[in-house]
C-alpha cells in the first residue's frame, strides 16, 4: 500500500493590522491543487516519511503547528485512523536548505540504469536488494541493467523544476507579498 501526502500552504496575513499579534494564519491553498505525486524520496527528505534514501529529514514529525488554521485542523482530524505523520515547514527554512547535501546514509535501494539508442544509459528506477557486502558507488551488471549503490542529494530527491515546482512557486509568491516568515507548508500522510 502506498503513502500519499495531503496538506495546505498557510499564510499569515498582516494586511491592515498595526500589531503583528493581531494577524492570523489562513489556509491559502490545498496541496492537492499543486502536487499530485507520490515521491518517497521527497517525502523522506522533507518529512522523514518512507525515508528509503536515508536523509536527515528537514521537518520530521513536528505535528500540526499550535496556531494552525481551523480549516487545516479539521481536514487532518477528519480521518484520525487514516492520517499520520503531521508536520510543517516554513518558507524561510526551505530557502536556507543546502540542496546539495547528501543523504545521511546509503540509499536502501539500488539505482537501475537501462540503455536505449535514443537516450543512452538512463536511470529507470530503484529496487530493494540485499546490500550486504556492497559499499557506496559499487556498480555491477545484472541482466541488461547497470546497478549502482549510492547516496542521493536533497536536490535529486526534490528537484526545483520537478513535481514540487508549483508548491515552491506558490510559497515564494506568498512570501514575496507577506514575508518569508509568514508562509508555511502543513502536511500529513495516509497509507
Amino acid at each position: 500500500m502506498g503513502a500519499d501526502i495531503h496538506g495546505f500552504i498557510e499564510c499569515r496575513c498582516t494586511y491592515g493590522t498595526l500589531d503583528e499579534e493581531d494577524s492570523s494564519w489562513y489556509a491559502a491553498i490545498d496541496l492537492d491543487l499543486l502536487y499530485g505525486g507520490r515521491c518517497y524520496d521527497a517525502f523522506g527528505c522533507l518529512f522523514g516519511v518512507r525515508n528509503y534514501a536515508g536523509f536527515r529529514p528537514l521537518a520530521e514529525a513536528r505535528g500540526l503547528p499550535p496556531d494552525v488554521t481551523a480549516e487545516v485542523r479539521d481536514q487532518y482530524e477528519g480521518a484520525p485512523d487514516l492520517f499520520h505523520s503531521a508536520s510543517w515547514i516554513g518558507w524561510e527554512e526551505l530557502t536556507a536548505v543546502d540542496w546539495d547535501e547528501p543523504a545521511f546514509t546509503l540509499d536502501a535501494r539500488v539505482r537501475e540504469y537501462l540503455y536505449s539508442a535514443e537516450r543512452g544509459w538512463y536511470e529507470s528506477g530503484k529496487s530493494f536488494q540485499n546490500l550486504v557486502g556492497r559499499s557506496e558507488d559499487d556498480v555491477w551488471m545484472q541482466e541488461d541493467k547497470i546497478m549502482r549503490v549510492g547516496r542521493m542529494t536533497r536536490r535529486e530527491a526534490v528537484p526545483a523544476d520537478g513535481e514540487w515546482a508549483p508548491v515552491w512557486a506558490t510559497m515564494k509568491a506568498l512570501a514575496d507579498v507577506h514575508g518569508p516568515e509568514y508562509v508555511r507548508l502543513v502536511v500529513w500522510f495516509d497509507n
Side-chain angles (χ1 to χ4, degrees), residues 1 17 24-25 48 54-55 65 89 92 99 103 116 121 142 148 190:
M1 180 187 270
T17 63
S24 60
W25 289 92
F55 284 103
I89 190 164
E92 199 167 38
W99 292 101
S116 76
W121 287 102
Q142 184 172 310
R148 185 173 82 76
D190 70 37

Side-chain angles (χ1 to χ4, degrees), residues 4-191:
D4 293 308
I5 192 169
H6 307 276
F8 282 81
I9 294 174
E10 290 189 321
C11 186
R12 188 170 180 188
C13 183
T14 56
Y15 288 141
T17 63
L18 296 176
D19 185 359
E20 209 172 272
E21 297 302 315
D22 291 337
S23 65
S24 60
W25 289 92
Y26 66 93
I29 189 164
D30 191 321
L31 183 60
D32 288 342
L33 297 172
L34 302 171
Y35 179 82
R38 183 187 276 176
C39 179
Y40 293 156
D41 294 329
F43 296 174
C45 173
L46 296 168
F47 304 107
V49 172
R50 304 275 174 120
N51 192 7
Y52 305 125
F55 284 103
R56 179 188 50 78
L58 297 175
E60 184 176 22
R62 290 179 171 176
L64 295 178
D67 55 355
V68 71
T69 62
E71 180 180 357
V72 174
R73 182 177 301 284
D74 290 347
Q75 286 258 349
Y76 176 70
E77 292 177 350
D81 296 333
L82 178 63
F83 295 145
H84 61 85
S85 303
S87 196
W88 62 274
I89 190 164
W91 181 248
E92 199 167 38
E93 265 180 287
L94 285 165
T95 60
V97 169
D98 174 4
W99 292 101
D100 294 317
E101 178 185 356
F104 185 69
T105 64
L106 286 179
D107 196 327
R109 301 151 306 165
V110 174
R111 292 183 185 195
E112 301 176 353
Y113 298 85
L114 288 174
Y115 183 83
S116 76
E118 300 82 32
R119 297 174 68 184
W121 287 102
Y122 66 93
E123 186 173 336
S124 59
K126 299 179 185 108
S127 64
F128 287 98
Q129 296 196 8
N130 184 345
L131 296 179
V132 173
R134 297 280 181 192
S135 59
E136 189 167 1
D137 295 325
D138 276 359
V139 177
W140 68 97
M141 288 294 296
Q142 184 172 310
E143 298 169 6
D144 60 342
K145 298 177 185 174
I146 291 178
M147 312 297 278
R148 185 173 82 76
V149 177
R151 294 175 197 256
M152 294 183 81
T153 64
R154 292 191 186 281
R155 187 177 315 284
E156 289 174 303
V158 193
D161 59 352
E163 294 177 308
W164 284 82
V167 177
W168 305 148
T170 302
M171 292 181 77
K172 181 184 182 319
L174 289 168
D176 287 348
V177 172
H178 299 285
E181 68 274 24
Y182 298 129
V183 178
R184 65 187 177 199
L185 175 62
V186 181
V187 300
W188 55 89
F189 297 83
D190 70 37
N191 58 334

